[in-house]
Amino acid sequence: GYLLAGTLVGPGVLGWVRAEAGVSMLAELGAATLLFSIGTEFSVGRLRGLGARTLLLGVLQIVATGAAVMAIARMAGLPGAAAFTTGAVVSLSSTAVVMRLLVEGRALDSVHGRMSMGVLLTQDLAVVPLVVVVTLLAGDATAAHALGELARTTGWAALLVVGFVVLVKWVAPLFLAGRGMARNRELVAVFATVWALGSALGAEAVGLSPALGAFVAGVLLGSSKFATQVRAELAPLRTILITLFFAAVGMAGDPSWAWDHAGRAIVVIMGMIAVKAVVAAGAARALGVSPAAAL
C-alpha cells in the first residue's frame, strides 16, 4: 500500500511530490530508524551469538552472486567495469525490507532468520570496499588514493563505535536515570530520536551506511537497562518514518517506463531473484545449513 501510494503521488504519475533529494533523505532516515529500533531488541552477546558462519555465508553470497551476475552481464555485452558494478549492486539487499519481514514473521531467532541477518550485516559492511573498487574501475581515483580512503573510513568507523560505547556506558545513564526523565516521558522520546538519527548521520558522515550505524548504536543501547524504555518511546516515530521509507521507494518508480519495458523488466527481475536464491541456498548448504533453512 505504501509503495503504491508513493508511486501514485510521485513524479511518475500525479507529480505531487517532485523533491527527489528530500524524499531520498527521508527514506534513509526511515530505514535507519527501523534498524535502530530492531537493534535495541538485540544485545552485544546476542549479536555475537550469530557466529562466524553467518558472516562467512554473507561473504560467499556476495562473491558468488557478484561473479554470476558479472558473467551474465558480460555475455549480454556489457564492458568489464559495468558488468562488475552490476554484479556488486545485485549482490546487495535492502536490510530495512528484509529485517521488517523477519520481525513481523517473528523469525529473527530462527535458523534462517539468524543466517539472513548475518548476510545482511555483511552486505552493509561490504558497501565501502565495493564502492572503492567501482571508483577505481571508473578511473576516478588512483589505487593509492582509493586504499587511503578505505583506511580512513575504517579508522573513522572504529572511532565511531568507540564513541557509541562511551555514550551508552557513561553519558546515556546520566540522562535516562535522572529525575527529570522519570517525570517527563517526552524527554525519553527526544533522547531516543536524537540517538537514532544522530547515529545514522554520524555513520553517513564517515562514509558508512546510515542504517548500519543506527543498528550498531541500537544494539549497544539494547545491551543497557534502558532498552525497553527507549523502544517504547521510539515506536510512534518509527511507524511514521517507515511509512515514508516505503512511500519514497514507490516514488522512485516510473509506471510508464515499466509498461514500455515490461517484458525485459520482468525477465531481469525474475532472473535476479532466481540467481540470488540459488546462490544463497547453495552457499548455506556448503556451510552445513539444513536444506529447508538454506532455501
PDB file of all heavy atoms in Angstrom, residues 25-40 96 192-193 195-200 210-215 218 231 233-243 245:
ATOM      1  N   MET A  25      16.310  11.343   1.283  1.00  0.00           N
ATOM      2  CA  MET A  25      16.802  11.526   2.650  1.00  0.00           C
ATOM      3  C   MET A  25      15.806  10.953   3.664  1.00  0.00           C
ATOM      4  O   MET A  25      16.194  10.280   4.625  1.00  0.00           O
ATOM      5  CB  MET A  25      17.024  13.004   2.933  1.00  0.00           C
ATOM      6  CG  MET A  25      17.611  13.277   4.324  1.00  0.00           C
ATOM      7  SD  MET A  25      17.731  15.032   4.699  1.00  0.00           S
ATOM      8  CE  MET A  25      16.002  15.461   4.870  1.00  0.00           C
ATOM      9  N   LEU A  26      14.516  11.181   3.442  1.00  0.00           N
ATOM     10  CA  LEU A  26      13.507  10.638   4.343  1.00  0.00           C
ATOM     11  C   LEU A  26      13.515   9.112   4.322  1.00  0.00           C
ATOM     12  O   LEU A  26      13.329   8.456   5.354  1.00  0.00           O
ATOM     13  CB  LEU A  26      12.119  11.157   3.943  1.00  0.00           C
ATOM     14  CG  LEU A  26      11.814  12.623   4.269  1.00  0.00           C
ATOM     15  CD1 LEU A  26      10.468  13.027   3.689  1.00  0.00           C
ATOM     16  CD2 LEU A  26      11.825  12.852   5.772  1.00  0.00           C
ATOM     17  N   ALA A  27      13.737   8.544   3.134  1.00  0.00           N
ATOM     18  CA  ALA A  27      13.810   7.087   3.028  1.00  0.00           C
ATOM     19  C   ALA A  27      14.983   6.544   3.830  1.00  0.00           C
ATOM     20  O   ALA A  27      14.869   5.531   4.525  1.00  0.00           O
ATOM     21  CB  ALA A  27      13.934   6.674   1.560  1.00  0.00           C
ATOM     22  N   GLU A  28      16.127   7.214   3.740  1.00  0.00           N
ATOM     23  CA  GLU A  28      17.305   6.792   4.509  1.00  0.00           C
ATOM     24  C   GLU A  28      17.027   6.876   6.008  1.00  0.00           C
ATOM     25  O   GLU A  28      17.387   5.976   6.775  1.00  0.00           O
ATOM     26  CB  GLU A  28      18.508   7.676   4.156  1.00  0.00           C
ATOM     27  CG  GLU A  28      19.097   7.403   2.786  1.00  0.00           C
ATOM     28  CD  GLU A  28      20.039   6.210   2.790  1.00  0.00           C
ATOM     29  OE1 GLU A  28      20.099   5.489   3.806  1.00  0.00           O
ATOM     30  OE2 GLU A  28      20.700   5.986   1.770  1.00  0.00           O
ATOM     31  N   LEU A  29      16.387   7.958   6.442  1.00  0.00           N
ATOM     32  CA  LEU A  29      16.082   8.113   7.865  1.00  0.00           C
ATOM     33  C   LEU A  29      15.092   7.053   8.326  1.00  0.00           C
ATOM     34  O   LEU A  29      15.199   6.529   9.444  1.00  0.00           O
ATOM     35  CB  LEU A  29      15.525   9.522   8.134  1.00  0.00           C
ATOM     36  CG  LEU A  29      16.509  10.680   8.012  1.00  0.00           C
ATOM     37  CD1 LEU A  29      15.800  12.012   8.229  1.00  0.00           C
ATOM     38  CD2 LEU A  29      17.654  10.533   8.998  1.00  0.00           C
ATOM     39  N   GLY A  30      14.116   6.733   7.479  1.00  0.00           N
ATOM     40  CA  GLY A  30      13.162   5.700   7.835  1.00  0.00           C
ATOM     41  C   GLY A  30      13.818   4.349   8.011  1.00  0.00           C
ATOM     42  O   GLY A  30      13.561   3.628   8.984  1.00  0.00           O
ATOM     43  N   ALA A  31      14.701   3.998   7.076  1.00  0.00           N
ATOM     44  CA  ALA A  31      15.417   2.725   7.172  1.00  0.00           C
ATOM     45  C   ALA A  31      16.306   2.697   8.408  1.00  0.00           C
ATOM     46  O   ALA A  31      16.376   1.684   9.123  1.00  0.00           O
ATOM     47  CB  ALA A  31      16.249   2.505   5.910  1.00  0.00           C
ATOM     48  N   ALA A  32      16.998   3.810   8.667  1.00  0.00           N
ATOM     49  CA  ALA A  32      17.896   3.871   9.818  1.00  0.00           C
ATOM     50  C   ALA A  32      17.127   3.744  11.130  1.00  0.00           C
ATOM     51  O   ALA A  32      17.556   3.046  12.060  1.00  0.00           O
ATOM     52  CB  ALA A  32      18.691   5.176   9.794  1.00  0.00           C
ATOM     53  N   THR A  33      15.975   4.404  11.219  1.00  0.00           N
ATOM     54  CA  THR A  33      15.180   4.345  12.444  1.00  0.00           C
ATOM     55  C   THR A  33      14.655   2.941  12.692  1.00  0.00           C
ATOM     56  O   THR A  33      14.636   2.450  13.829  1.00  0.00           O
ATOM     57  CB  THR A  33      14.004   5.337  12.379  1.00  0.00           C
ATOM     58  OG1 THR A  33      14.491   6.627  12.026  1.00  0.00           O
ATOM     59  CG2 THR A  33      13.295   5.431  13.709  1.00  0.00           C
ATOM     60  N   LEU A  34      14.221   2.269  11.608  1.00  0.00           N
ATOM     61  CA  LEU A  34      13.751   0.891  11.752  1.00  0.00           C
ATOM     62  C   LEU A  34      14.861   0.000  12.293  1.00  0.00           C
ATOM     63  O   LEU A  34      14.661  -0.773  13.244  1.00  0.00           O
ATOM     64  CB  LEU A  34      13.268   0.358  10.401  1.00  0.00           C
ATOM     65  CG  LEU A  34      12.956  -1.151  10.369  1.00  0.00           C
ATOM     66  CD1 LEU A  34      11.767  -1.461  11.262  1.00  0.00           C
ATOM     67  CD2 LEU A  34      12.688  -1.617   8.949  1.00  0.00           C
ATOM     68  N   LEU A  35      16.053   0.108  11.710  1.00  0.00           N
ATOM     69  CA  LEU A  35      17.156  -0.755  12.140  1.00  0.00           C
ATOM     70  C   LEU A  35      17.643  -0.384  13.538  1.00  0.00           C
ATOM     71  O   LEU A  35      18.107  -1.250  14.282  1.00  0.00           O
ATOM     72  CB  LEU A  35      18.301  -0.680  11.133  1.00  0.00           C
ATOM     73  CG  LEU A  35      17.992  -1.373   9.805  1.00  0.00           C
ATOM     74  CD1 LEU A  35      19.149  -1.239   8.835  1.00  0.00           C
ATOM     75  CD2 LEU A  35      17.685  -2.841  10.021  1.00  0.00           C
ATOM     76  N   PHE A  36      17.544   0.881  13.905  1.00  0.00           N
ATOM     77  CA  PHE A  36      17.897   1.275  15.275  1.00  0.00           C
ATOM     78  C   PHE A  36      16.956   0.599  16.271  1.00  0.00           C
ATOM     79  O   PHE A  36      17.402   0.032  17.273  1.00  0.00           O
ATOM     80  CB  PHE A  36      17.815   2.792  15.420  1.00  0.00           C
ATOM     81  CG  PHE A  36      18.034   3.273  16.826  1.00  0.00           C
ATOM     82  CD1 PHE A  36      19.321   3.438  17.323  1.00  0.00           C
ATOM     83  CD2 PHE A  36      16.960   3.562  17.656  1.00  0.00           C
ATOM     84  CE1 PHE A  36      19.529   3.871  18.639  1.00  0.00           C
ATOM     85  CE2 PHE A  36      17.159   3.996  18.960  1.00  0.00           C
ATOM     86  CZ  PHE A  36      18.445   4.151  19.443  1.00  0.00           C
ATOM     87  N   SER A  37      15.664   0.648  15.985  1.00  0.00           N
ATOM     88  CA  SER A  37      14.697   0.041  16.914  1.00  0.00           C
ATOM     89  C   SER A  37      14.857  -1.469  16.964  1.00  0.00           C
ATOM     90  O   SER A  37      14.716  -2.076  18.027  1.00  0.00           O
ATOM     91  CB  SER A  37      13.269   0.423  16.504  1.00  0.00           C
ATOM     92  OG  SER A  37      12.973  -0.059  15.212  1.00  0.00           O
ATOM     93  N   ILE A  38      15.154  -2.094  15.822  1.00  0.00           N
ATOM     94  CA  ILE A  38      15.418  -3.537  15.824  1.00  0.00           C
ATOM     95  C   ILE A  38      16.692  -3.825  16.615  1.00  0.00           C
ATOM     96  O   ILE A  38      16.772  -4.801  17.360  1.00  0.00           O
ATOM     97  CB  ILE A  38      15.542  -4.064  14.380  1.00  0.00           C
ATOM     98  CG1 ILE A  38      14.182  -4.012  13.681  1.00  0.00           C
ATOM     99  CG2 ILE A  38      16.078  -5.501  14.374  1.00  0.00           C
ATOM    100  CD1 ILE A  38      14.229  -4.383  12.219  1.00  0.00           C
ATOM    101  N   GLY A  39      17.686  -2.957  16.474  1.00  0.00           N
ATOM    102  CA  GLY A  39      18.935  -3.133  17.207  1.00  0.00           C
ATOM    103  C   GLY A  39      18.745  -3.091  18.707  1.00  0.00           C
ATOM    104  O   GLY A  39      19.419  -3.824  19.444  1.00  0.00           O
ATOM    105  N   THR A  40      17.791  -2.272  19.190  1.00  0.00           N
ATOM    106  CA  THR A  40      17.564  -2.199  20.638  1.00  0.00           C
ATOM    107  C   THR A  40      16.978  -3.495  21.185  1.00  0.00           C
ATOM    108  O   THR A  40      16.996  -3.723  22.393  1.00  0.00           O
ATOM    109  CB  THR A  40      16.623  -1.031  20.991  1.00  0.00           C
ATOM    110  OG1 THR A  40      15.365  -1.207  20.332  1.00  0.00           O
ATOM    111  CG2 THR A  40      17.233   0.305  20.587  1.00  0.00           C
ATOM    112  N   ALA A  96      16.530  -2.954   5.449  1.00  0.00           N
ATOM    113  CA  ALA A  96      15.297  -2.477   6.090  1.00  0.00           C
ATOM    114  C   ALA A  96      14.108  -3.350   5.718  1.00  0.00           C
ATOM    115  O   ALA A  96      13.293  -3.716   6.576  1.00  0.00           O
ATOM    116  CB  ALA A  96      15.031  -1.030   5.697  1.00  0.00           C
ATOM    117  N   ALA A 192      15.717   9.351  22.542  1.00  0.00           N
ATOM    118  CA  ALA A 192      15.722   8.223  21.605  1.00  0.00           C
ATOM    119  C   ALA A 192      15.810   8.708  20.165  1.00  0.00           C
ATOM    120  O   ALA A 192      16.532   8.134  19.340  1.00  0.00           O
ATOM    121  CB  ALA A 192      14.463   7.381  21.806  1.00  0.00           C
ATOM    122  N   THR A 193      15.087   9.791  19.852  1.00  0.00           N
ATOM    123  CA  THR A 193      15.107  10.329  18.491  1.00  0.00           C
ATOM    124  C   THR A 193      16.484  10.855  18.123  1.00  0.00           C
ATOM    125  O   THR A 193      17.021  10.568  17.045  1.00  0.00           O
ATOM    126  CB  THR A 193      14.070  11.461  18.352  1.00  0.00           C
ATOM    127  OG1 THR A 193      12.782  10.970  18.720  1.00  0.00           O
ATOM    128  CG2 THR A 193      14.028  11.982  16.935  1.00  0.00           C
ATOM    129  N   TRP A 195      19.331  10.045  19.491  1.00  0.00           N
ATOM    130  CA  TRP A 195      20.277   8.930  19.455  1.00  0.00           C
ATOM    131  C   TRP A 195      20.150   8.165  18.137  1.00  0.00           C
ATOM    132  O   TRP A 195      21.152   7.819  17.503  1.00  0.00           O
ATOM    133  CB  TRP A 195      20.014   8.006  20.641  1.00  0.00           C
ATOM    134  CG  TRP A 195      20.939   6.837  20.733  1.00  0.00           C
ATOM    135  CD1 TRP A 195      20.658   5.545  20.457  1.00  0.00           C
ATOM    136  CD2 TRP A 195      22.311   6.853  21.129  1.00  0.00           C
ATOM    137  NE1 TRP A 195      21.752   4.748  20.660  1.00  0.00           N
ATOM    138  CE2 TRP A 195      22.789   5.532  21.073  1.00  0.00           C
ATOM    139  CE3 TRP A 195      23.190   7.854  21.533  1.00  0.00           C
ATOM    140  CZ2 TRP A 195      24.094   5.177  21.394  1.00  0.00           C
ATOM    141  CZ3 TRP A 195      24.490   7.508  21.854  1.00  0.00           C
ATOM    142  CH2 TRP A 195      24.929   6.193  21.788  1.00  0.00           C
ATOM    143  N   ALA A 196      18.913   7.902  17.702  1.00  0.00           N
ATOM    144  CA  ALA A 196      18.685   7.146  16.470  1.00  0.00           C
ATOM    145  C   ALA A 196      19.170   7.921  15.247  1.00  0.00           C
ATOM    146  O   ALA A 196      19.950   7.412  14.432  1.00  0.00           O
ATOM    147  CB  ALA A 196      17.210   6.804  16.329  1.00  0.00           C
ATOM    148  N   LEU A 197      18.709   9.152  15.108  1.00  0.00           N
ATOM    149  CA  LEU A 197      19.064   9.937  13.922  1.00  0.00           C
ATOM    150  C   LEU A 197      20.523  10.378  13.970  1.00  0.00           C
ATOM    151  O   LEU A 197      21.200  10.435  12.935  1.00  0.00           O
ATOM    152  CB  LEU A 197      18.138  11.152  13.798  1.00  0.00           C
ATOM    153  CG  LEU A 197      16.644  10.831  13.718  1.00  0.00           C
ATOM    154  CD1 LEU A 197      15.834  12.094  13.470  1.00  0.00           C
ATOM    155  CD2 LEU A 197      16.372   9.818  12.620  1.00  0.00           C
ATOM    156  N   GLY A 198      21.013  10.692  15.170  1.00  0.00           N
ATOM    157  CA  GLY A 198      22.415  11.113  15.298  1.00  0.00           C
ATOM    158  C   GLY A 198      23.383  10.014  14.917  1.00  0.00           C
ATOM    159  O   GLY A 198      24.396  10.247  14.259  1.00  0.00           O
ATOM    160  N   SER A 199      23.075   8.772  15.309  1.00  0.00           N
ATOM    161  CA  SER A 199      23.952   7.657  14.955  1.00  0.00           C
ATOM    162  C   SER A 199      23.944   7.416  13.454  1.00  0.00           C
ATOM    163  O   SER A 199      24.990   7.110  12.848  1.00  0.00           O
ATOM    164  CB  SER A 199      23.507   6.395  15.700  1.00  0.00           C
ATOM    165  OG  SER A 199      22.168   6.060  15.391  1.00  0.00           O
ATOM    166  N   ALA A 200      22.784   7.565  12.823  1.00  0.00           N
ATOM    167  CA  ALA A 200      22.704   7.390  11.367  1.00  0.00           C
ATOM    168  C   ALA A 200      23.498   8.467  10.644  1.00  0.00           C
ATOM    169  O   ALA A 200      24.265   8.183   9.707  1.00  0.00           O
ATOM    170  CB  ALA A 200      21.243   7.413  10.922  1.00  0.00           C
ATOM    171  N   PRO A 210      24.157   4.611   6.751  1.00  0.00           N
ATOM    172  CA  PRO A 210      23.438   5.165   7.907  1.00  0.00           C
ATOM    173  C   PRO A 210      22.645   4.098   8.657  1.00  0.00           C
ATOM    174  O   PRO A 210      22.583   4.115   9.888  1.00  0.00           O
ATOM    175  CB  PRO A 210      22.500   6.201   7.272  1.00  0.00           C
ATOM    176  CG  PRO A 210      23.136   6.555   5.977  1.00  0.00           C
ATOM    177  CD  PRO A 210      23.820   5.308   5.499  1.00  0.00           C
ATOM    178  N   ALA A 211      22.058   3.165   7.915  1.00  0.00           N
ATOM    179  CA  ALA A 211      21.282   2.102   8.557  1.00  0.00           C
ATOM    180  C   ALA A 211      22.173   1.219   9.427  1.00  0.00           C
ATOM    181  O   ALA A 211      21.784   0.826  10.528  1.00  0.00           O
ATOM    182  CB  ALA A 211      20.568   1.262   7.496  1.00  0.00           C
ATOM    183  N   LEU A 212      23.374   0.917   8.937  1.00  0.00           N
ATOM    184  CA  LEU A 212      24.297   0.086   9.714  1.00  0.00           C
ATOM    185  C   LEU A 212      24.729   0.815  10.981  1.00  0.00           C
ATOM    186  O   LEU A 212      24.774   0.220  12.068  1.00  0.00           O
ATOM    187  CB  LEU A 212      25.524  -0.269   8.876  1.00  0.00           C
ATOM    188  CG  LEU A 212      26.601  -1.108   9.567  1.00  0.00           C
ATOM    189  CD1 LEU A 212      26.033  -2.462   9.988  1.00  0.00           C
ATOM    190  CD2 LEU A 212      27.810  -1.294   8.670  1.00  0.00           C
ATOM    191  N   GLY A 213      25.040   2.109  10.872  1.00  0.00           N
ATOM    192  CA  GLY A 213      25.426   2.883  12.047  1.00  0.00           C
ATOM    193  C   GLY A 213      24.323   2.943  13.075  1.00  0.00           C
ATOM    194  O   GLY A 213      24.564   2.782  14.279  1.00  0.00           O
ATOM    195  N   ALA A 214      23.083   3.122  12.611  1.00  0.00           N
ATOM    196  CA  ALA A 214      21.948   3.171  13.533  1.00  0.00           C
ATOM    197  C   ALA A 214      21.734   1.819  14.199  1.00  0.00           C
ATOM    198  O   ALA A 214      21.406   1.740  15.383  1.00  0.00           O
ATOM    199  CB  ALA A 214      20.688   3.596  12.785  1.00  0.00           C
ATOM    200  N   PHE A 215      21.917   0.739  13.438  1.00  0.00           N
ATOM    201  CA  PHE A 215      21.736  -0.597  14.002  1.00  0.00           C
ATOM    202  C   PHE A 215      22.764  -0.871  15.101  1.00  0.00           C
ATOM    203  O   PHE A 215      22.422  -1.378  16.169  1.00  0.00           O
ATOM    204  CB  PHE A 215      21.847  -1.650  12.898  1.00  0.00           C
ATOM    205  CG  PHE A 215      21.714  -3.058  13.401  1.00  0.00           C
ATOM    206  CD1 PHE A 215      20.476  -3.576  13.729  1.00  0.00           C
ATOM    207  CD2 PHE A 215      22.827  -3.863  13.562  1.00  0.00           C
ATOM    208  CE1 PHE A 215      20.345  -4.882  14.204  1.00  0.00           C
ATOM    209  CE2 PHE A 215      22.719  -5.159  14.035  1.00  0.00           C
ATOM    210  CZ  PHE A 215      21.470  -5.664  14.348  1.00  0.00           C
ATOM    211  N   GLY A 218      21.866   1.007  18.114  1.00  0.00           N
ATOM    212  CA  GLY A 218      20.721   0.378  18.761  1.00  0.00           C
ATOM    213  C   GLY A 218      21.113  -0.867  19.538  1.00  0.00           C
ATOM    214  O   GLY A 218      20.607  -1.103  20.639  1.00  0.00           O
ATOM    215  N   ARG A 231      12.711   1.785  23.458  1.00  0.00           N
ATOM    216  CA  ARG A 231      11.922   1.148  22.397  1.00  0.00           C
ATOM    217  C   ARG A 231      10.485   1.644  22.408  1.00  0.00           C
ATOM    218  O   ARG A 231       9.905   1.942  21.360  1.00  0.00           O
ATOM    219  CB  ARG A 231      11.923  -0.377  22.574  1.00  0.00           C
ATOM    220  CG  ARG A 231      12.998  -1.104  21.816  1.00  0.00           C
ATOM    221  CD  ARG A 231      12.627  -2.574  21.637  1.00  0.00           C
ATOM    222  NE  ARG A 231      12.260  -3.226  22.875  1.00  0.00           N
ATOM    223  CZ  ARG A 231      13.121  -3.831  23.685  1.00  0.00           C
ATOM    224  NH1 ARG A 231      14.397  -3.847  23.387  1.00  0.00           N
ATOM    225  NH2 ARG A 231      12.706  -4.408  24.786  1.00  0.00           N
ATOM    226  N   GLU A 233       9.246   4.449  23.541  1.00  0.00           N
ATOM    227  CA  GLU A 233       9.096   5.852  23.165  1.00  0.00           C
ATOM    228  C   GLU A 233       9.392   6.092  21.690  1.00  0.00           C
ATOM    229  O   GLU A 233       8.906   7.052  21.093  1.00  0.00           O
ATOM    230  CB  GLU A 233      10.026   6.727  24.021  1.00  0.00           C
ATOM    231  CG  GLU A 233       9.742   6.671  25.512  1.00  0.00           C
ATOM    232  CD  GLU A 233       8.328   7.113  25.863  1.00  0.00           C
ATOM    233  OE1 GLU A 233       7.718   7.870  25.079  1.00  0.00           O
ATOM    234  OE2 GLU A 233       7.820   6.673  26.911  1.00  0.00           O
ATOM    235  N   LEU A 234      10.181   5.203  21.078  1.00  0.00           N
ATOM    236  CA  LEU A 234      10.580   5.388  19.685  1.00  0.00           C
ATOM    237  C   LEU A 234       9.557   4.824  18.706  1.00  0.00           C
ATOM    238  O   LEU A 234       9.564   5.162  17.529  1.00  0.00           O
ATOM    239  CB  LEU A 234      11.935   4.722  19.444  1.00  0.00           C
ATOM    240  CG  LEU A 234      12.687   5.076  18.163  1.00  0.00           C
ATOM    241  CD1 LEU A 234      13.054   6.546  18.151  1.00  0.00           C
ATOM    242  CD2 LEU A 234      13.922   4.214  18.019  1.00  0.00           C
ATOM    243  N   ALA A 235       8.647   3.973  19.191  1.00  0.00           N
ATOM    244  CA  ALA A 235       7.721   3.268  18.302  1.00  0.00           C
ATOM    245  C   ALA A 235       6.901   4.189  17.389  1.00  0.00           C
ATOM    246  O   ALA A 235       6.808   3.940  16.186  1.00  0.00           O
ATOM    247  CB  ALA A 235       6.800   2.374  19.123  1.00  0.00           C
ATOM    248  N   PRO A 236       6.284   5.282  17.916  1.00  0.00           N
ATOM    249  CA  PRO A 236       5.494   6.138  17.014  1.00  0.00           C
ATOM    250  C   PRO A 236       6.344   6.771  15.909  1.00  0.00           C
ATOM    251  O   PRO A 236       5.913   6.841  14.756  1.00  0.00           O
ATOM    252  CB  PRO A 236       4.926   7.213  17.957  1.00  0.00           C
ATOM    253  CG  PRO A 236       4.973   6.593  19.313  1.00  0.00           C
ATOM    254  CD  PRO A 236       6.195   5.744  19.317  1.00  0.00           C
ATOM    255  N   LEU A 237       7.541   7.238  16.254  1.00  0.00           N
ATOM    256  CA  LEU A 237       8.404   7.843  15.248  1.00  0.00           C
ATOM    257  C   LEU A 237       8.791   6.809  14.195  1.00  0.00           C
ATOM    258  O   LEU A 237       8.816   7.101  12.998  1.00  0.00           O
ATOM    259  CB  LEU A 237       9.665   8.412  15.913  1.00  0.00           C
ATOM    260  CG  LEU A 237      10.715   8.979  14.955  1.00  0.00           C
ATOM    261  CD1 LEU A 237      10.198  10.240  14.287  1.00  0.00           C
ATOM    262  CD2 LEU A 237      12.017   9.280  15.701  1.00  0.00           C
ATOM    263  N   ARG A 238       9.090   5.578  14.643  1.00  0.00           N
ATOM    264  CA  ARG A 238       9.478   4.538  13.696  1.00  0.00           C
ATOM    265  C   ARG A 238       8.357   4.282  12.700  1.00  0.00           C
ATOM    266  O   ARG A 238       8.603   4.148  11.500  1.00  0.00           O
ATOM    267  CB  ARG A 238       9.805   3.240  14.448  1.00  0.00           C
ATOM    268  CG  ARG A 238      10.245   2.119  13.522  1.00  0.00           C
ATOM    269  CD  ARG A 238      10.498   0.832  14.267  1.00  0.00           C
ATOM    270  NE  ARG A 238       9.256   0.231  14.755  1.00  0.00           N
ATOM    271  CZ  ARG A 238       9.184  -0.952  15.347  1.00  0.00           C
ATOM    272  NH1 ARG A 238      10.274  -1.648  15.571  1.00  0.00           N
ATOM    273  NH2 ARG A 238       8.028  -1.426  15.750  1.00  0.00           N
ATOM    274  N   THR A 239       7.115   4.240  13.172  1.00  0.00           N
ATOM    275  CA  THR A 239       5.982   3.984  12.283  1.00  0.00           C
ATOM    276  C   THR A 239       5.887   5.044  11.200  1.00  0.00           C
ATOM    277  O   THR A 239       5.692   4.739  10.015  1.00  0.00           O
ATOM    278  CB  THR A 239       4.673   3.945  13.090  1.00  0.00           C
ATOM    279  OG1 THR A 239       4.775   2.920  14.086  1.00  0.00           O
ATOM    280  CG2 THR A 239       3.492   3.663  12.189  1.00  0.00           C
ATOM    281  N   ILE A 240       6.042   6.310  11.594  1.00  0.00           N
ATOM    282  CA  ILE A 240       5.935   7.402  10.625  1.00  0.00           C
ATOM    283  C   ILE A 240       7.053   7.333   9.595  1.00  0.00           C
ATOM    284  O   ILE A 240       6.829   7.439   8.387  1.00  0.00           O
ATOM    285  CB  ILE A 240       5.970   8.764  11.364  1.00  0.00           C
ATOM    286  CG1 ILE A 240       4.720   8.931  12.224  1.00  0.00           C
ATOM    287  CG2 ILE A 240       6.076   9.909  10.365  1.00  0.00           C
ATOM    288  CD1 ILE A 240       4.761  10.114  13.153  1.00  0.00           C
ATOM    289  N   LEU A 241       8.294   7.132  10.064  1.00  0.00           N
ATOM    290  CA  LEU A 241       9.429   7.133   9.147  1.00  0.00           C
ATOM    291  C   LEU A 241       9.449   5.896   8.257  1.00  0.00           C
ATOM    292  O   LEU A 241       9.883   5.969   7.096  1.00  0.00           O
ATOM    293  CB  LEU A 241      10.733   7.251   9.937  1.00  0.00           C
ATOM    294  CG  LEU A 241      10.972   8.623  10.578  1.00  0.00           C
ATOM    295  CD1 LEU A 241      12.248   8.614  11.407  1.00  0.00           C
ATOM    296  CD2 LEU A 241      11.050   9.720   9.526  1.00  0.00           C
ATOM    297  N   ILE A 242       8.988   4.768   8.757  1.00  0.00           N
ATOM    298  CA  ILE A 242       8.921   3.573   7.918  1.00  0.00           C
ATOM    299  C   ILE A 242       7.880   3.757   6.817  1.00  0.00           C
ATOM    300  O   ILE A 242       8.070   3.322   5.677  1.00  0.00           O
ATOM    301  CB  ILE A 242       8.612   2.328   8.776  1.00  0.00           C
ATOM    302  CG1 ILE A 242       9.863   1.946   9.548  1.00  0.00           C
ATOM    303  CG2 ILE A 242       8.176   1.166   7.905  1.00  0.00           C
ATOM    304  CD1 ILE A 242      11.067   1.694   8.670  1.00  0.00           C
ATOM    305  N   THR A 243       6.763   4.412   7.155  1.00  0.00           N
ATOM    306  CA  THR A 243       5.772   4.735   6.138  1.00  0.00           C
ATOM    307  C   THR A 243       6.402   5.574   5.033  1.00  0.00           C
ATOM    308  O   THR A 243       6.231   5.319   3.837  1.00  0.00           O
ATOM    309  CB  THR A 243       4.593   5.506   6.761  1.00  0.00           C
ATOM    310  OG1 THR A 243       4.014   4.724   7.795  1.00  0.00           O
ATOM    311  CG2 THR A 243       3.542   5.822   5.719  1.00  0.00           C
ATOM    312  N   PHE A 245       9.564   5.696   4.316  1.00  0.00           N
ATOM    313  CA  PHE A 245      10.576   4.904   3.612  1.00  0.00           C
ATOM    314  C   PHE A 245       9.963   4.146   2.439  1.00  0.00           C
ATOM    315  O   PHE A 245      10.420   4.243   1.301  1.00  0.00           O
ATOM    316  CB  PHE A 245      11.243   3.932   4.592  1.00  0.00           C
ATOM    317  CG  PHE A 245      12.073   2.870   3.920  1.00  0.00           C
ATOM    318  CD1 PHE A 245      13.287   3.194   3.341  1.00  0.00           C
ATOM    319  CD2 PHE A 245      11.631   1.568   3.861  1.00  0.00           C
ATOM    320  CE1 PHE A 245      14.052   2.222   2.709  1.00  0.00           C
ATOM    321  CE2 PHE A 245      12.390   0.586   3.242  1.00  0.00           C
ATOM    322  CZ  PHE A 245      13.609   0.923   2.660  1.00  0.00           C
TER     323      PHE A 245
END
